Amino acid sequence: MTSVTSLFAPVDADLCQLTENLKQLVGARHPILYAAAEHLFGAGGKRLRPAIVLLISKATSAADITPRHRRLAEITEMIHTASLVHDDVVDESELRRGVPTVHSSFGNRVAVLAGDFLFAQSSWYLANLDNLEVVKLLSQVIMDLAEGEIQQGLNRFDTGLTLEAYLEKSYYKTASLIANSAKAAGVLSDSSSETCRNLYSYGRHIGLAFQIVDDLLDFTGSADALGKPAGSDLRSGNLTAPALYALEEKPYLEVLIEREFAQEGDLKQALALIEDSKGLERSRELATHHAQLAVQHISSLPPSESRQALIQLAEYVLSRSH
Amino acid sequence: MTSVTSLFAPVDADLCQLTENLKQLVGARHPILYAAAEHLFGAGGKRLRPAIVLLISKATSAADITPRHRRLAEITEMIHTASLVHDDVVDESELRRGVPTVHSSFGNRVAVLAGDFLFAQSSWYLANLDNLEVVKLLSQVIMDLAEGEIQQGLNRFDTGLTLEAYLEKSYYKTASLIANSAKAAGVLSDSSSETCRNLYSYGRHIGLAFQIVDDLLDFTGSADALGKPAGSDLRSGNLTAPALYALEEKPYLEVLIEREFAQEGDLKQALALIEDSKGLERSRELATHHAQLAVQHISSLPPSESRQALIQLAEYVLSRSH
């Protein structure tokens, strides 16, 4: 199994520079945010989103990555981080990647400020890329992230949630950022509109595959590997692919979810029902389907080390589910 | 004394429509946000910012206000409201305009979501105005608002704060939005760059006058009229013009502020020292100075009912301080 770090080798130096820039940007002028910046952009982040932007930039640009590509990668990571910080406030999460969240370490005050500062800085960077199409693509992402968080709030413990609605929410919360920033990288490289559409589809499908695998790991991973207790999503009423598939086979699961696991042992029983269903296997197949679609959409790019990394990334995403 | 509502007569119908649009936008699709929307865009808001945008639009456009001017006015009110909602979380304020804040009524969860949704929707509307200059002006505002909130946090109880730093913070927190959206209205009217600069200066100075008067009222207003206890700013360490001027005359005020009013009667004594100083009078003069500069900057606009309203608005702002 390849490690994700080695996959990002073609853009490794760029990613290090990006992390330093972001730490400086958030931390340097504001002692209040310094600790938060170390926390947010320190060790542990996979930097998946900027890595995809940089790899696509490299795979599509005639010469090397341009400063505007790099700025786009920073914007992508800033929007992602801002939404994480605010999501953790909204969801009242205590842990992320095994470390305490910003709001639990520094309070809601700093978490709201840090998120707002990152959103603000990213919208300013964005405007100054001087490309209206890119501004539109990324402002759509910011809308989608807010919409996804609201939908997730509305649909808690709703056993009538369809798989389509789940995929839509996953698009809003995860895939939209990857899809639109992948396309924006193509726009900055002056790629053809067909290439840009393909880059969008690559991002959309790899984003969905990534989210489905993440949702699967919430059931199959250890608390240690997840950095939070297993079954967290289900417990909070966030119904993901494994639970939705299992509901088709196990009518009693509906009863447990509808009463919000109010009785002793409800959650444990629900987890056992899902484990005993085809939910996990079917979710893995769904992720595989989207990862394959992702790869198909970049097959027409000219062969390069970066294109190869983008293809292997799809395999890597799936490998996490085993 | 003119009421602010009668000043806005030339754009009254437009302001009613704007309020309805914003309530619909935030409330209609999301029951979670419905109550927050009624709360945010219901009775009580002065709608000063969109009124200025609409009056400037009317005063500068050849024919009538265009749909893009109206959209700009909505964006302005959305950005303002989003920042209020998040500021109240950051400052842990319980009351605003005499009613409980969103976070105290509905929790941090809804307050963060509602603010993020408004910021997101405004950045999407903004991108779709299809004018890169306007995108830049308003994204600068979003940056300035975040910067102002951070500076306010950093400078709490700092008796070394200069009047210049106070005015800079006031620009970031209040005047930047009015100045840049006033200029953006001119840009959408295809006004000359000289007119646009003047509109910016009008907004900047009336915004500063407005903020200085607001800060003055925190000392001179009744709790009833303010909708919060008098002296709230001072108590929380937010040093405004009256306190900064008073510090020049009353050395003991520094002692009281530096120890953060830790001893019984400290706050009352500090308020008495400020009352006994020239701080209130000098603050009123400072506000008058900025209101006069505001009026000078729109004297070159062609005479119209709307220009007249913009001039009277400067007088109205000052009249609140008596």
Side-chain angles (χ1 to χ4, degrees):
Chain A
M1 179 174 145
T2 338
S3 85
V4 73
T5 323
S6 70
L7 275 181
F8 296 159
V11 292
D12 203 32
D14 307 276
L15 279 173
C16 284
Q17 187 58 54
L18 174 135
T19 304
E20 271 318 298
N21 289 351
L22 292 179
K23 268 195 218 173
Q24 278 291 322
L25 177 74
V26 180
R29 279 150 61 224
H30 307 111
I32 260 186
L33 296 180
Y34 180 80
E38 281 294 318
H39 184 94
L40 287 170
F41 301 112
K46 286 188 296 290
R47 297 172 301 181
L48 177 74
R49 292 154 188 82
I52 292 176
V53 167
L54 291 166
L55 288 169
I56 287 180
S57 302
K58 212 159 179 147
T60 56
S61 63
D64 200 9
I65 304 182
T66 66
R68 296 166 83 213
H69 285 125
R70 281 179 226 282
R71 186 44 61 86
L72 175 66
E74 287 175 7
I75 292 169
T76 305
E77 187 69 351
M78 287 161 73
I79 292 175
H80 170 61
T81 308
S83 84
L84 287 188
V85 175
H86 281 186
D87 283 3
D88 286 340
V89 176
V90 170
D91 300 339
E92 294 165 350
S93 312
E94 297 301 316
L95 289 177
R96 178 175 293 271
R97 300 177 198 143
V99 285
T101 54
V102 173
H103 85 97
S104 74
S105 298
F106 307 103
N108 279 331
R109 230 182 138 246
V110 172
V112 172
L113 267 185
D116 283 352
F117 180 78
L118 284 167
F119 272 129
Q121 182 78 48
S122 65
S123 87
W124 192 78
Y125 273 179
L126 194 54
N128 288 281
L129 279 179
D130 271 313
N131 184 311
L132 205 45
E133 188 177 356
V134 173
V135 172
K136 286 187 190 179
L137 290 171
L138 275 289
S139 71
Q140 180 67 56
V141 169
I142 296 174
M143 267 293 279
D144 289 346
L145 286 167
E147 180 72 35
E149 187 65 17
I150 289 167
Q151 283 195 9
Q152 184 160 312
L154 287 177
N155 297 327
R156 254 164 239 264
F157 299 107
D158 175 6
T159 55
L161 187 75
T162 62
L163 193 74
E164 288 66 39
Y166 158 75
L167 286 173
E168 186 183 81
K169 192 205 68 190
S170 303
Y171 173 75
Y172 286 143
K173 289 213 66 183
T174 307
S176 169
L177 176 56
I178 305 178
N180 284 294
S181 60
K183 181 174 177 182
V187 170
L188 291 180
S189 295
D190 286 321
S191 300
S192 71
S193 56
E194 195 197 335
T195 300
C196 288
R197 272 196 304 277
N198 281 326
L199 293 171
Y200 171 89
S201 297
Y202 171 81
R204 176 184 158 83
H205 289 296
I206 205 162
L208 289 174
F210 182 80
Q211 185 59 54
I212 296 162
V213 170
D214 234 38
D215 294 340
L216 195 54
L217 287 172
D218 190 61
F219 291 95
T220 62
S222 66
D224 241 27
L226 295 176
K228 60 180 181 180
S232 295
D233 287 336
L234 189 63
R235 183 197 309 263
S236 67
N238 178 19
L239 305 186
T240 60
L244 296 175
Y245 284 129
L247 274 165
E248 296 175 13
E249 289 174 58
K250 311 280 184 184
Y252 193 60
L253 183 56
E254 189 173 326
V255 176
L256 297 169
I257 295 172
E258 294 278 330
R259 72 181 181 219
E260 305 192 2
F261 313 118
Q263 294 178 24
E264 179 89 26
D266 274 2
L267 183 69
K268 208 175 149 190
Q269 198 180 351
L271 289 169
L273 286 171
I274 292 169
E275 175 109 34
D276 186 53
S277 76
K278 294 207 169 59
L280 300 173
E281 190 188 325
R282 290 176 72 189
S283 301
R284 214 168 273 124
E285 285 164 10
L286 184 67
T288 306
H289 169 69
H290 284 289
Q292 286 167 345
L293 284 173
V295 171
Q296 283 172 27
H297 279 98
I298 49 164
S299 58
S300 59
L301 287 182
S304 68
E305 199 191 9
S306 297
R307 189 191 73 163
Q308 197 51 33
L310 290 164
I311 292 169
Q312 285 172 341
L313 185 60
E315 292 158 14
Y316 166 78
V317 167
L318 293 179
S319 74
R320 291 169 67 231
S321 77
H322 293 293
Chain B
M1 179 175 142
T2 338
S3 87
V4 71
T5 323
S6 69
L7 276 181
F8 295 161
V11 292
D12 202 34
D14 307 276
L15 278 173
C16 283
Q17 187 58 54
L18 174 135
T19 304
E20 269 320 297
N21 288 351
L22 293 179
K23 269 197 218 173
Q24 278 292 321
L25 177 75
V26 180
R29 279 150 61 224
H30 306 110
I32 259 186
L33 296 180
Y34 180 79
E38 283 293 321
H39 185 91
L40 287 169
F41 300 112
K46 284 188 297 290
R47 298 172 301 181
L48 177 74
R49 291 152 188 83
I52 292 176
V53 168
L54 291 166
L55 288 169
I56 288 181
S57 301
K58 213 159 178 148
T60 55
S61 63
D64 201 10
I65 304 181
T66 66
R68 296 166 82 214
H69 286 124
R70 281 180 226 283
R71 186 45 60 88
L72 175 66
E74 286 175 7
I75 291 169
T76 304
E77 186 69 352
M78 287 161 74
I79 292 176
H80 170 61
T81 308
S83 84
L84 286 189
V85 175
H86 281 185
D87 282 3
D88 286 339
V89 177
V90 170
D91 300 338
E92 295 166 349
S93 312
E94 297 301 315
L95 289 176
R96 181 175 290 272
R97 298 177 198 143
V99 287
T101 55
V102 173
H103 86 97
S104 73
S105 298
F106 307 104
N108 279 331
R109 225 180 143 248
V110 172
V112 173
L113 267 185
D116 283 351
F117 180 79
L118 284 167
F119 273 129
Q121 183 78 47
S122 64
S123 87
W124 192 79
Y125 273 179
L126 194 55
N128 287 282
L129 279 179
D130 271 314
N131 185 312
L132 204 46
E133 189 178 356
V134 173
V135 172
K136 286 186 191 180
L137 290 171
L138 275 288
S139 70
Q140 181 66 56
V141 169
I142 296 173
M143 268 293 278
D144 289 345
L145 286 167
E147 180 72 35
E149 187 65 16
I150 290 167
Q151 284 197 7
Q152 182 160 314
L154 286 178
N155 296 328
R156 252 165 241 262
F157 298 106
D158 174 5
T159 54
L161 187 74
T162 61
L163 194 75
E164 288 65 42
Y166 158 74
L167 286 173
E168 187 184 81
K169 192 206 67 189
S170 303
Y171 173 74
Y172 286 144
K173 290 212 66 182
T174 306
S176 170
L177 176 56
I178 305 179
N180 284 293
S181 59
K183 182 174 177 180
V187 170
L188 291 180
S189 296
D190 285 321
S191 300
S192 72
S193 55
E194 194 198 335
T195 299
C196 288
R197 271 197 305 278
N198 280 326
L199 293 171
Y200 171 89
S201 297
Y202 171 80
R204 176 183 159 83
H205 290 295
I206 205 162
L208 289 175
F210 182 78
Q211 185 60 53
I212 296 162
V213 170
D214 234 37
D215 293 342
L216 194 55
L217 287 172
D218 191 59
F219 290 95
T220 62
S222 66
D224 239 29
L226 295 175
K228 60 180 180 180
S232 295
D233 287 335
L234 189 65
R235 183 196 310 262
S236 68
N238 177 20
L239 305 186
T240 59
L244 296 174
Y245 284 129
L247 274 164
E248 296 176 14
E249 289 173 58
K250 311 280 185 186
Y252 193 59
L253 183 55
E254 188 174 328
V255 176
L256 298 169
I257 295 172
E258 293 279 328
R259 72 181 181 219
E260 305 192 2
F261 312 117
Q263 296 179 24
E264 179 90 26
D266 274 3
L267 184 68
K268 208 175 149 191
Q269 198 181 351
L271 289 169
L273 285 171
I274 292 169
E275 175 110 32
D276 186 52
S277 77
K278 293 207 169 60
L280 300 173
E281 189 189 325
R282 290 177 73 189
S283 301
R284 213 169 275 126
E285 285 164 11
L286 185 67
T288 305
H289 170 69
H290 285 289
Q292 285 167 346
L293 285 173
V295 171
Q296 283 172 28
H297 279 99
I298 49 164
S299 58
S300 59
L301 287 183
S304 69
E305 197 192 12
S306 297
R307 189 191 73 162
Q308 197 50 32
L310 290 164
I311 291 169
Q312 284 172 342
L313 186 60
E315 291 158 16
Y316 166 77
V317 167
L318 293 180
S319 74
R320 290 169 67 232
S321 77
H322 292 294

